[in-house]
Structures are given as structure tokens and as C-alpha cells.
């Protein structure tokens, strides 16, 4: 099975070389990198390990004015991922066709509810991006762990499309797909949702960036 990690953030070229080799071994054939990091050397390593690079731009926004500025400068061949800093701007993002994915940060106290589901249905699209990184470094913080669990469970319950990313900066921060599937099962969520979060939904977000 081929997997997709739409957000890795290697610290350097040398770290990318190590990550690319491991990503290939783990079965990730599509990988998202911030466009500012990508150059010919980066692409050459990706080609060596048969990895398709998805160029992405990620922005954090507080209001509609910031969103409008982003929409003016973002290239259509780049995947546009936007992280809302509050629930109000989240609802606005849900109706913007140019936004390929909405990134939910558990630190922002963002809530996934029926309103978001309805807005996604109106827009005929909509997928959220959830980072696995907080589980590596906030394991002693029960608040972040609880928020992550609630985010996953609410997304499944409300049938809101979501995918997970590693946000890895180092090779050892990458997640094995089997670990993610096991985690979902521990949370009482069917393995099929984990598979979709690693394959189907991120791929649809990638295709939206090409349209």
C-alpha cells in the first residue's frame, strides 16, 4: 500500500536525505514539503527514492483580511494549507474553494462540530489536516493529548474528512503507518479510518491543489 505524508519539515538537506530513504522504506510515495524548502537538490533526492513531492504553502491566519492577502499570492499549482487561529475564521475557511486543506492545531482550542460539517457539505469539499507531532512532545501534557483524541473522534463521528501528517523535522520523528493504525484502534476507531487518513483523504487534498 502507498501512503501519503503531506507535511514533513526537514531541518536541512542532509536531514532530508535520511528522511527520504526512511519514507521510501515505510511506503510513502507522496510527500508534502514547504515550497520555500524545495530546490533542485531536494527534488533529485526525492526522485532517487521514487518520492513524488507535493509543493505546499502553509499559513496561520487570524482574520479574513489575512486570508485575502494569501489568496492573492498563492500559486495554484501549490497546495494551500491554512491554519485558523480561532473558530470564527475556521467557518470562513470552510467555504473558500482555493483552500485545499484546513490545518487544526490543538493548541488553538479549535472545535470540530456540526456547523463545520454543514459548511463542508455546502462547499462540496473540505478536509482537515491533523498533526501527529504533539503526541511525541506533549505526552506529559494531558490537555493536548485529550484535545487530539477529541479531534480525531469528533471528526469520525461527524464524518468530517481528515488526514494525519507527521510534521517531522528529523528522520526519527516519522511515524510508521502500522503505529498510526494501532493508535486509532486503541482510541476505539476502526482501522479503515486510519487507512483513509494516510491514503484517500490526503490524496484528494493533493488533487485539489492541481485543479
Amino acid at each position: 500500500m502507498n501512503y501519503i505524508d503531506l507535511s514533513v519539515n526537514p531541518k536541512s538537506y542532509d536531514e532530508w536525505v535520511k528522511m527520504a530513504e526512511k519514507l521510501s522504506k515505510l511506503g510513502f510515495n507522496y510527500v508534502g514539503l514547504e515550497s520555500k524548502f524545495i530546490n533542485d537538490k531536494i527534488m533529485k533526492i526525492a526522485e532517487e527514492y521514487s518520492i513524488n513531492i507535493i509543493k505546499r504553502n502553509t499559513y496561520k491566519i487570524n482574520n479574513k483580511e489575512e486570508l485575502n492577502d494569501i489568496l492573492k499570492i498563492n500559486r495554484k499549482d501549490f497546495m494551500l494549507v491554512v491554519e485558523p487561529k480561532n473558530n470564527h475564521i475556521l467557518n470562513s475557511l470552510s467555504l473558500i474553494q482555493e483552500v485545499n486543506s484546513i490545518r487544526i492545531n490543538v493548541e488553538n482550542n479549535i472545535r470540530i462540530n456540526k456547523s463545520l460539517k454543514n459548511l463542508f457539505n455546502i462547499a462540496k469539499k473540505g478536509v482537515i489536516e491533523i498533526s501527529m507531532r504533539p503526541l511525541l512532545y506533549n505526552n506529559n501534557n494531558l490537555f493536548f493529548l485529550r484535545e487530539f483524541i477529541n479531534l480525531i473522534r469528533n471528526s469520525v463521528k461527524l464524518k468530517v474528512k481528515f488526514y494525519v501528517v507527521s510534521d517531522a523535522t528529523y528522520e526519527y520523528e516519522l511515524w510508521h503507518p502500522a503505529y498510526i493504525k494501532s493508535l486509532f484502534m486503541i482510541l476505539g476507531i476502526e482501522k479503515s479510518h486510519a487507512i483513509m487518513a494516510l491514503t484517500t483523504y490526503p490524496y484528494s487534498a493533493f488533487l485539489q491543489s492541481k485543479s
Side-chain angles (χ1 to χ4, degrees), residues 13 16-17 20-21 23-24 28-29 31 33 38-54:
Y13 168 77
W16 166 240
V17 174
E21 180 180 7
L23 284 163
S24 179
F28 290 91
N29 67 335
V31 174
L33 290 173
I38 299 171
N39 56 36
D40 290 343
K41 289 176 62 180
I42 298 297
M43 296 299 291
K44 184 177 181 180
I45 294 299
E47 183 178 356
E48 180 179 332
Y49 288 102
S50 300
I51 293 175
N52 299 287
I53 294 298
I54 302 168

Side-chain angles (χ1 to χ4, degrees), residues 29 41 49 51-52 71 81-83 86 88 110-111 114 120 124 127 132 162 168 191-192 199:
N29 67 335
K41 289 176 62 180
Y49 288 102
I51 293 175
N52 299 287
L71 294 177
V81 182
V82 179
E83 178 184 315
N86 55 67
H88 177 71
I110 296 291
R111 292 286 183 265
K114 289 184 179 179
F120 275 3
K124 304 300 183 185
V127 59
M132 303 289 291
F162 71 94
K191 186 171 68 173
S192 60
T199 57

